[in-house]
Structure formats: structure tokens, C-alpha cells
């Protein structure tokens, strides 16, 4: 029996990554750091989840110009990136992906609980929902598990296991909604069935382990089995 839907945020609820990428480049330029992340490069860097982890990985393994950034400097750049990102969110530049809002309301009508499991921060989740549907996410989601609450981000299952604990549900009672390989593996390692809708940056990821795949989360594109469960 389906008791809860657990939503990823970046790429699933909204196409956020292009705004994160542009915000990084803006900060690099402001800080006189000679890095500029192209779309192709960012696609590769997204294999590392979490902004601070991604920055560290880039400096250590990819960058030719190195600045030997310590963890405080990485934190400062990441914080500035998020300030810029949230400025754009507050200006209304981001939108929920097709079908997401209806899915939320239909699930609520049918007493299916809602949760979030994401590598990003609670602050980013709050600003996205406030600006995209004018609501505090805690009025919609029973629990919100974020990257700042766990030691290991996706593809580790920790964020999904945290959501399950907070929901007091077993994995078989939930379905995860994801857009990327790392997200899928995180949910699958927590033994949760997963519906994947690849986002722009993850079109070429391997989704062979997904239980369900859809082009978008709209009613007409949902796998029939899930449509019957959610749109009763
Ligand atoms: C998304 C991420 C995040 C975002 C931005 O992963 O990896 O790092 O790029 O988040 P997922 P930050 O969708 O699988 O949760 O706040 O860490 O920069
Ligand atoms: Mg994602």
C-alpha cells in the first residue's frame, strides 16, 4: 500500500541546477577566481552531490588553476553561491516542474503523506516553495530530510533512511521521486521503489534500476500503476 511520496528537490521538483551553475560562475568572477563552469563541465561535476563537496572535488581533481581553498573558504564561496541563487529564486525565476503541484494536491486529497529527501539545504527548500507556491514547505510535507542533516549525501541512502525514520514508515510503503542516477541509487539503497523523470542535466544517466520512468510528472505521463494509486 502506498502511504507516502518522497520528493527529491534539485532537478525533480524544479530545474534548479542551471541557476546553481550560473550562481557559482557569478561568485567565481566576483571573487577573482579564474574558474568558469560550462554546462558540459557542470554535467560531469554533478556526479558529486552537494555544493561544498562539488567545489572541493573540482579544486582537487579537475581545476588547473588551484587556490588551495580550505574548508572555511569553500564554505564562504558556497554561502555566496546560495545567496545569489536565492536572489533569483526570490525574483521568481524558478518554477516547479510540470505536474509537481497537482501531484502534491492529489496525494493530499487521497491521504498519501508527503516528504522531501534532498542533498540541498533546508534554506533552499524553503525559498523554493515560498516563491513557487507561496507556502512554507512544512505546511505540505510531513518531514524534510536535507543534506545539512546527514553525514553522507546521495548516492548514500542516509537521507532516505532519515526520511523513512521521520515518517515512521517502511520502505515498501513509500515511493521516491528522483531525476538523477545518484538520487535513484540513494533511494534504491534504502530499498524504496523509485519513479524517475530525468532532468535536463541527467538525461544521459543510467536509470536501468528505476522501478518506474516518466518523461514528466503530469497525470498523463505517469505510469498507469502510479496514476491509479495517486489519482484515485
Ligand atoms: C542535488 C545536488 C545539490 C545541488 C545544490 O542533488 O547535488 O548539490 O546542486 O545544492 P539531489 P547545494 O537532487 O540528488 O539531492 O545547496 O549543496 O549547493
Ligand atoms: Mg535531484
Amino acid at each position: 500500500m502506498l502511504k507516502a511520496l518522497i520528493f527529491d528537490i534539485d532537478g525533480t521538483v524544479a530545474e534548479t541546477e542551471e541557476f546553481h551553475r550560473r550562481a557559482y560562475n557569478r561568485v567565481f568572477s566576483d571573487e577573482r577566481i579564474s574558474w568558469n563552469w560550462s554546462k558540459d563541465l557542470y554535467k560531469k561535476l554533478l556526479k558529486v552531490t552537494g555544493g561544498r563537496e562539488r567545489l572541493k572535488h573540482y579544486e582537487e581533481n579537475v581545476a588547473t588553476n588551484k587556490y588551495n581553498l580550505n574548508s572555511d573558504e569553500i564554505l564562504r564561496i558556497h554561502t555566496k553561491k546560495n545567496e545569489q541563487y536565492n536572489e533569483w529564486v526570490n525574483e521568481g525565476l524558478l518554477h516547479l516542474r510540470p505536474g509537481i503541484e497537482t501531484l502534491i494536491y492529489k496525494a493530499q486529497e487521497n491521504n498519501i503523506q508527503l516528504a522531501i529527501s534532498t542533498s540541498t539545504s533546508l534554506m533552499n527548500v524553503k525559498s523554493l516553495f515560498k516563491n513557487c507556491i507561496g507556502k512554507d514547505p512544512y505546511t505540505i510535507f510531513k518531514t524534510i530530510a536535507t543534506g545539512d542533516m546527514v553525514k553522507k549525501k546521495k548516492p548514500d541512502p542516509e537521507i532516505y533512511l532519515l526520511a523513512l525514520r521521520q515518517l515512521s514508515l517502511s520502505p515498501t510503503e513509500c515511493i521516491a521521486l528522483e531525476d538523477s542516477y545518484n538520487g535513484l541509487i540513494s533511494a534504491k539503497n534504502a530499498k524504496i521503489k523509485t519513479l524517475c523523470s530525468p532532468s535536463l542535466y541527467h538525461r544521459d544517466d543510467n536509470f536501468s534500476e528505476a522501478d518506474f520512468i516518466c518523461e514528466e510528472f503530469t497525470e498523463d505521463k505517469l505510469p498507469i500503476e502510479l496514476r491509479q494509486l495517486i489519482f484515485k
Side-chain angles (χ1 to χ4, degrees):
M1 181 166 168
L2 176 61
K3 292 200 178 158
L5 293 178
I6 309 179
F7 289 77
D8 166 51
I9 294 293
D10 292 297
T12 300
V13 162
E15 286 284 4
T16 56
E17 292 297 359
E18 190 48 14
F19 291 91
H20 286 295
R21 183 185 73 87
R22 290 183 199 166
Y24 278 117
N25 285 336
R26 178 73 66 90
V27 177
F28 296 154
S29 154
D30 289 350
E31 294 285 315
R32 308 235 185 291
I33 292 174
S34 71
W35 300 342
N36 190 285
W37 290 355
S38 67
K39 288 185 184 179
D40 282 350
L41 172 61
Y42 196 62
K43 186 175 164 179
K44 291 182 190 131
L45 296 179
L46 281 173
K47 293 197 176 0
V48 177
T49 58
R52 288 188 301 280
E53 293 81 351
R54 189 169 303 136
L55 276 165
K56 189 168 182 292
H57 161 76
Y58 177 74
E59 155 117 287
E60 284 177 1
N61 306 307
V62 186
T64 42
N65 286 351
K66 297 198 195 285
Y67 296 85
N68 297 317
L69 301 172
N70 62 33
S71 53
D72 285 348
E73 286 161 334
I74 286 185
L75 178 63
R76 199 174 58 81
I77 292 170
H78 186 249
T79 303
K80 288 189 78 176
K81 181 279 287 181
N82 274 337
E83 282 167 11
Q84 176 61 74
Y85 168 80
N86 278 300
E87 220 176 283
W88 289 331
V89 174
N90 293 336
E91 282 169 20
L93 299 184
L94 280 87
H95 306 283
L96 300 187
R97 276 186 67 181
I100 290 292
E101 198 168 347
T102 309
L103 201 55
I104 287 172
Y105 294 133
K106 277 289 156 192
Q108 282 177 328
E109 264 176 37
N110 289 310
N111 294 319
I112 297 168
Q113 293 184 35
L114 299 169
I116 287 174
S117 167
T118 175
S119 297
T120 201
S121 60
L122 186 57
M123 182 185 77
N124 286 356
V125 175
K126 284 191 170 185
S127 69
L128 190 71
F129 277 92
K130 185 169 167 276
N131 283 281
C132 290
I133 45 179
K135 287 185 181 167
D136 182 317
Y138 277 112
T139 64
I140 302 171
F141 298 94
K142 185 175 178 201
T143 181
I144 302 177
T146 61
D148 37 7
M149 299 172 187
V150 293
K151 285 207 182 82
K152 291 185 184 162
K153 293 182 180 165
K154 299 174 187 178
D156 192 280
E158 194 179 348
I159 299 183
Y160 274 102
L161 295 174
L162 175 63
L164 287 176
R165 261 200 318 280
Q166 291 174 341
L167 286 167
S168 301
L169 291 176
S170 71
T172 52
E173 295 171 311
C174 304
I175 288 179
L177 284 78
E178 277 289 352
D179 70 300
S180 70
Y181 173 78
N182 279 329
L184 165 64
I185 297 305
S186 172
K188 294 301 294 180
N189 284 341
K191 306 208 168 2
I192 303 172
K193 280 196 175 173
T194 306
L195 165 65
C196 287
S197 179
S199 60
L200 293 173
Y201 269 106
H202 294 283
R203 292 265 189 261
D204 301 326
D205 285 13
N206 178 359
F207 291 102
S208 59
E209 287 190 49
D211 299 276
F212 310 97
I213 296 196
C214 61
E215 203 180 304
E216 292 293 352
F217 295 107
T218 50
E219 182 177 358
D220 60 324
K221 298 265 166 41
L222 282 187
I224 180 94
E225 199 180 330
L226 293 187
R227 200 185 314 157
Q228 283 167 350
L229 286 173
I230 301 163
F231 288 79
K232 287 179 223 168

